[in-house]
Amino acid sequence: MPNRANHYRIFRKIAPNWDFDLHVHTNWSIDASSGATIEKYAQLSEKYKIHIGFADHYELACFEKSHINTRNSILNPETLSEYLEEIDSAKEHYKHISSGLELEYYPEREDQLQNFLEDYQNEFDLIVGSAHEIEDFRAITVLRDLQWLVEKHGSFSKVLGKYFDKLHKLIHSQLFDVVAHPDVIFRFLTNHHIWFTPEYRQYFPTIELGHLVRNSNMLYEINLSGLYYPWKESFPNLDMFHHLLANDIPFSIGSDCHSLKQFEERILEIRKINFINRNEWKYHKIFSNDDF
């Protein structure tokens, strides 16, 4: 088992009075290949005094499939050392950046994940665990895949149950520092969607997962990407965020941006969530970019 017992060590790297965003994708991510470089993010985040954590996708399952060229994944076993060298080089000039990966959790590949993390545990400041797929290459974050899964399993609620079962296994694996976007499966839902029920806005399994995260000494992520999808709320939403904070659930904050434009668009939300996380949020405060 990789020695990631101190999952909160990342906070020792964040300067006093700086906000943080520990889920940022550079042009090393397969879904952000036309995005910004590590250097560009470092420059922009320094301007706003935001400590950023790079969490580029590294998909172990992709590298096993003979019909998928490893080189289609920009970050792969052949380029991982180059990625680390680029981050290390940036760290020489910018003290407000952290190295990380976003790893998909595969219960059937847990030994492979463990071996990988044992080999690289000292190379990364943060390992973000996520669940996008309940079947290989069928992502609940891709609408056509989610529709396919709902049709196959008979209902959205059955797919939802399988998704949360996978998140439970992710937490119990103790392989990761952070549980990313815990209820991202709601991404495409609106209050009028055929799959929607009101309980999803205060979904008990999302709250239950937070307590499991705390008991496992991990970090729960509040992820801002949901604000830019039909769901129009963070994952988890603000009501649940307040509830979980009141129950001493430790949080990471992630914009999940895939470009500099997205990062700048989300800065005010990053600020707001950091203020709430520090219990400093004043509801009368009106932010603008000119404040920073």
Side-chain angles (χ1 to χ4, degrees), residues 121-280:
Q121 62 180 326
N122 295 322
E123 304 290 339
F124 293 102
D125 301 312
L126 196 72
I127 298 295
V128 178
S130 61
H132 296 86
E133 304 170 6
I134 62 171
E135 297 185 18
D136 279 358
F137 306 105
R138 292 289 185 177
I140 51 91
T141 50
V142 176
L143 182 57
R144 65 179 179 274
D145 287 350
L146 182 57
Q147 290 169 332
W148 183 90
L149 288 164
V150 169
E151 184 175 346
K152 176 182 177 180
H153 294 284
S155 70
F156 178 78
S157 63
K158 289 183 179 178
V159 176
L160 185 61
K162 290 180 178 294
Y163 170 72
F164 273 88
D165 284 346
K166 185 174 181 179
L167 285 177
H168 276 255
K169 292 175 182 177
L170 183 158
I171 294 167
H172 287 304
S173 77
Q174 284 283 292
L175 293 173
F176 308 99
D177 300 305
V178 179
V179 179
H181 41 59
D183 49 2
V184 69
I185 192 170
F186 297 139
R187 171 185 282 190
F188 301 109
L189 271 60
T190 67
N191 288 357
H192 306 291
H193 196 287
I194 189 172
W195 297 337
F196 179 79
T197 66
E199 70 173 298
Y200 293 161
R201 296 288 180 186
Q202 302 292 327
Y203 195 49
F204 178 74
T206 303
I207 294 172
E208 181 185 41
L209 278 181
H211 289 271
L212 289 175
V213 166
R214 181 192 61 195
N215 294 340
S216 299
N217 296 315
M218 299 167 69
L219 294 168
Y220 214 27
E221 182 185 77
I222 179 165
N223 184 290
L224 303 180
S225 66
L227 295 166
Y228 304 89
Y229 284 89
W231 186 244
K232 298 299 182 187
E233 297 196 79
S234 57
F235 305 120
N237 66 32
L238 279 183
D239 285 343
M240 285 195 284
F241 182 47
H242 281 288
H243 173 82
L244 289 161
L245 284 175
N247 284 272
D248 298 320
I249 309 303
F251 272 90
S252 177
I253 297 167
S255 67
D256 207 351
C257 60
H258 287 64
S259 68
L260 283 184
K261 182 176 183 291
Q262 287 183 358
F263 182 72
E264 280 211 285
E265 288 173 347
R266 298 176 191 186
I267 281 172
L268 297 183
E269 288 297 329
I270 294 167
R271 288 275 190 244
K272 176 180 176 180
I273 297 302
N274 272 274
F275 268 68
I276 294 172
N277 195 50
R278 295 194 301 265
N279 197 28
E280 296 176 0

